[in-house]
């Protein structure tokens, strides 16, 4: 009998899982989605300029070519439209239970009791054989803990919860943070606002984004000539693996990346004072490199300032630093996400009452980023140590879904399966050794690691290696319970 599968989240990962189940003829699944629409991060991040710095043809499923991409790097509306297209084409929408947040999942020795809360209807519990958690790493906004934030008299919001009803024109805007989200936002805010002050705690390495609209001939070729999309995708993929990955593995290639970023800075920022503020003192790649060609020019506008003074508090009037009070009408928190709190705030209880949050107290970890000992038939997509600094997460998601699909016949035939502790321990050792040579380890603070410096988010190998590891037959690493 086909297993009953609960998929949590209707973003890139959850939809991929659902489509693969549909294509395998398994329709005994439910997708739980806490929001009223699908799309995950691409539904939530609607700030002006939101988009992806991985090329469209690679930031999409390998099995679902799309003739409608209009440019090399997709904007948020296009990505959301792509996901909606996929959900409709494969008939997934009818299987999504919208506005239903999974608050807990507990293994009862045989099946998972999944409890979802739907608005005022209150929680209800259903049994599933398998749980696939596809909640992402960047789904919960991080708001900083700055004294006085509640006292601000103007309007404030997080970049991932954009207030579309708030008109920025004529306003004095303070933006806290200068990561990838801020870099995309700043050109738009700078054009609209009377004044923009960007509060930068740490400068980022920035390289150009060679974006361009596809011309009519290219679009026709992508749409109608068989194989063109596949070849183009393969080329971008190989370039990322060969040219970008080595830069993150601390070697001569890191210096090349540094030179490229410094060249970009010199070309775009003529003022040496501003350039000095924007020059990082840690290795490129340690934090996510910002890929953007409009960010630096926006910072050179006469109505924009980069403030590097330490923020002391927020007052009703604005942002107070060690040097001055910076009056503001609007504060935008482009302060990232609670990236190391995987699966929170869901309560997940495994075999013999094991609590997942407790197991992950020192930092999340999972075999292949997918399975955790003591949690049979629970699979994670975009779980611990599966984020990338150089290639497409969608590729990684497909590898993870392949692995889950390979497990299903075993657990259907022989009962619930969990990863063996020895396999997990070997995985942790392997990860630790590979991590040693990666550039994320030391020299910076980033969303890739916990407060005490453990890298819980990133995968230290190539994606080609990850594909190979996830496509091994799962039998040896798992046992039935
Ligand atoms: O978040 P971030 P993001 N006081 O965590 C600052 C993906 N993404 O939303 O560097 C002052 O990178 C913090 O400062 P510091 C992409 O993977 C992709 O921008 O910690 N400042 C930093 O500047 C990306 O990496 C795309 O010193 C504070 C900023 O807030 C990831 O999402 C677009 C602070 C947070 O930067 C996250 O990007 C958008 C405080 N208390 C996002 N707390 C593309 O594809 C935090 N900060 C292009």
């Amino acid at each position: 009998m086909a297993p009953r599968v609960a998929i949590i989240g209707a973003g890139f990962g959850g939809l991929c899982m659902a489509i693969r189940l549909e294509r395998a003829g398994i329709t005994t699944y439910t997708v739980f989605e806490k929001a009223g629409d699908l799309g995950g991060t691409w539904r939530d991040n609607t700030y002006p300029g939101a988009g992806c710095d991985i090329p469209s043809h690679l930031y999409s499923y390998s099995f679902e070519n799309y003739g409608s991409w209009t440019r090399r790097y997709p904007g948020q509306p296009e990505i959301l439209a792509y996901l909606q297209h996929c959900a409709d084409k494969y008939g997934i929408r009818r299987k999504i239970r919208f506005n239903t947040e999974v608050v807990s999942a507990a293994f009862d020795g045989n099946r998972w009791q999944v409890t979802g809360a739907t608005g005022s209807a209150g929680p209800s519990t259903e049994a599933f054989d398998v749980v696939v958690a596809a909640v992402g790493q960047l789904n919960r906004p991080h708001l900083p803990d700055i004294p006085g934030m509640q006292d601000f008299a103007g309007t404030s919001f997080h970049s991932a919860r954009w207030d579309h009803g708030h008109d920025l024109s004529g306003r004095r805007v303070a933006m806290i943070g200068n990561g990838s989200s801020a870099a995309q936002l700043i050109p738009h805010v700078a054009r609209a606002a009377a004044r923009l002050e960007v509060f930068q705690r740490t400068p980022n390495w920035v390289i150009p984004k060679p974006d361009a609209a596809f011309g009519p001939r290219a679009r026709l070729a992508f749409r109608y000539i068989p194989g063109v999309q596949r070849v183009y995708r393969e080329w971008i993929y190989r370039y990322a693996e060969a040219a970008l990955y080595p830069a993150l593995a601390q070697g001569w290639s890191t210096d090349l990346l540094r030179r490229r970023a410094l060249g970009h800075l010199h070309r775009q920022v003529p003022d040496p004072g501003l350039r000095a503020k924007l020059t990082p003192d840690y290795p490129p790649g340690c934090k996510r490199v910002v890929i953007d060609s409009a960010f630096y020019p926006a910072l050179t506008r006469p109505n924009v300032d980069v403030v590097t003074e330490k923020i002391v508090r927020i007052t009703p009037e604005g942002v107070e630093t060690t040097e001055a009070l910076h009056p503001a009408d609007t504060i935008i928190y482009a302060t990232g996400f609670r990236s190391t709190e995987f699966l929170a705030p869901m309560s997940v209880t495994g075999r013999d009452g094991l609590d997942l949050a407790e197991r992950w107290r020192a930092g999340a970890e999972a075999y292949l980023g997918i399975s955790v000992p003591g949690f049979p038939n629970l699979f994670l997509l975009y779980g611990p140590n599966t984020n990338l600094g150089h290639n497409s997460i969608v590729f990684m998601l497909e590898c993870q879904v392949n692995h889950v699909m390979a497990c299903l016949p075993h657990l259907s035939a022989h009962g619930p399966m969990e990863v063996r502790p020895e396999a997990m321990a070997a995985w942790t050792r392997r990860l630790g050794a590979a991590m040693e040579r990666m550039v994320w380890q030391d020299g910076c603070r980033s969303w890739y690691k916990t407060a005490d410096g453990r890298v819980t988010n990133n995968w230290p190998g190539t994606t080609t290696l990850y594909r190979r590891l996830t496509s091994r037959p799962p039998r040896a690493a798992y046992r039935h319970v």
Side-chain angles (χ1 to χ4, degrees):
M1 215 167 66
R4 287 200 76 210
V5 182
I7 301 171
I8 309 174
F12 252 113
L15 291 177
C16 185
M17 188 71 233
I19 293 169
R20 288 293 306 278
L21 288 171
E22 283 283 341
R23 291 177 67 178
I26 301 173
T27 55
T28 46
Y29 70 91
T30 301
V31 184
F32 291 90
E33 171 51 59
K34 70 176 181 205
D37 199 359
L38 56 82
T41 196
W42 299 108
R43 174 204 57 226
D44 289 344
N45 283 272
T46 58
Y47 59 79
C52 185
D53 57 15
I54 300 294
S56 315
H57 288 91
L58 188 56
Y59 199 75
S60 44
Y61 302 127
S62 61
F63 54 80
E64 188 55 34
N65 285 346
Y66 191 51
S68 301
W69 296 121
T70 61
R71 51 193 317 112
R72 213 178 278 167
Y73 292 90
Q76 173 267 341
E78 275 199 85
I79 304 172
L80 190 57
Y82 173 75
L83 289 172
Q84 283 165 344
H85 153 83
C86 294
D88 291 337
K89 175 171 169 180
Y90 292 96
I92 309 300
R93 225 178 254 276
R94 71 190 202 290
K95 307 287 284 190
I96 306 177
R97 209 168 293 168
F98 288 110
N99 299 308
T100 306
E101 177 167 9
V102 173
V103 290
S104 70
F107 186 68
D108 66 7
N110 186 36
R111 305 182 92 193
W112 282 91
Q113 301 296 332
V114 175
T115 303
T118 311
S120 55
S124 71
T125 302
E126 253 175 87
F128 289 88
D129 301 299
V130 174
V131 173
V132 179
V135 299
Q137 294 190 2
L138 303 171
N139 62 344
R140 299 172 67 220
H142 159 74
L143 277 174
D145 190 14
I146 305 173
M149 281 170 60
Q150 305 310 326
D151 304 332
F152 181 56
T155 302
S156 64
F157 47 89
H158 188 274
S159 57
R161 298 289 181 271
W162 195 260
D163 183 347
H164 289 277
H166 180 68
D167 185 2
L168 291 174
S169 46
R171 309 234 190 224
R172 297 163 303 172
V173 178
M175 183 168 322
I176 301 182
N178 59 314
S180 300
S181 300
Q184 293 185 334
L185 259 172
I186 282 168
H188 297 267
V189 176
R191 272 199 298 276
R195 173 136 207 83
L196 168 63
E197 290 189 296
V198 179
F199 291 82
Q200 171 191 278
R201 189 164 63 175
T202 320
N204 279 300
W205 292 100
V206 182
I207 57 173
K209 179 171 169 179
D211 194 16
F214 293 124
R217 268 191 296 206
R219 291 183 63 176
L220 284 173
F222 282 133
R223 190 181 283 267
Y224 296 112
I225 304 180
V228 170
Q229 285 208 35
R230 196 172 37 76
V231 170
Y232 181 61
R233 178 188 169 96
E234 189 64 24
W235 177 79
I236 311 166
Y237 172 76
R238 282 175 193 253
Y239 171 79
E241 285 294 89
L244 300 182
Y245 172 75
L248 304 178
Q250 299 199 26
W252 56 269
S253 195
T254 308
D255 292 330
L256 277 186
L257 185 58
R258 184 193 309 270
R259 280 210 289 279
R260 193 166 162 217
L262 287 177
H264 182 55
L265 176 63
H266 273 77
R267 277 191 300 279
Q268 292 204 319
V269 181
D271 171 15
L274 180 56
R275 266 205 316 260
K277 278 187 184 175
L278 297 173
T279 306
D281 62 357
Y282 56 85
C286 185
K287 297 159 95 67
R288 172 66 150 76
V289 171
V290 171
I291 308 177
D292 205 291
S293 298
F295 172 51
Y296 283 152
L299 297 181
T300 66
R301 288 173 62 111
N303 67 331
V304 177
D305 262 325
V306 177
V307 181
T308 54
E309 301 150 13
K310 188 172 172 352
I311 299 172
V312 178
R313 67 177 65 83
I314 306 292
T315 73
E317 296 79 30
V319 181
E320 188 179 318
T321 67
T322 45
E323 310 294 317
L325 172 68
H326 298 259
D329 305 306
T330 309
I331 300 179
I332 299 169
Y333 293 100
T335 43
F337 299 87
R338 299 167 73 158
S339 53
T340 56
E341 300 170 12
F342 293 84
L343 267 58
M346 205 188 315
S347 152
V348 182
T349 313
R351 198 164 44 74
D352 305 325
L354 269 176
D355 177 50
L356 189 60
E358 188 55 35
R359 193 177 190 296
W360 282 351
R361 190 193 278 274
E365 55 176 16
Y367 171 72
L368 300 172
I370 300 174
S371 304
V372 186
F375 295 80
N377 289 7
L378 169 70
F379 301 99
L380 315 176
L381 305 184
Y382 198 18
N385 297 110
T386 61
N387 180 56
L388 303 172
H390 76 286
N391 208 321
S392 173
I393 295 306
V394 184
F395 178 95
M396 299 292 274
L397 288 170
E398 285 195 51
C399 295
Q400 290 146 18
V401 170
N402 284 342
H403 183 81
V404 178
M405 292 302 290
C407 289
L408 293 184
H410 296 283
L411 61 87
S412 295
H414 307 291
M417 61 198 270
E418 70 172 37
V419 65
R420 292 175 186 275
E422 321 76 272
M424 182 70 224
W427 175 255
T428 306
R429 279 196 301 277
R430 176 179 197 144
L431 213 52
M435 210 58 95
E436 293 281 295
R437 62 171 194 274
M438 301 309 290
V439 75
W440 318 305
Q441 285 287 102
D442 301 309
C444 76
R445 162 183 39 213
S446 80
W447 66 262
Y448 299 160
K449 46 193 177 188
T450 60
D452 53 9
R454 179 166 167 188
V455 180
T456 51
N457 292 65
N458 279 17
W459 165 240
T462 62
T463 62
T464 318
L465 172 64
Y466 188 73
R467 176 167 54 189
R468 196 161 70 238
L469 296 174
T470 45
S471 56
R472 281 182 185 162
R475 279 193 79 149
Y478 288 81
R479 66 183 180 195
H480 294 278
V481 295

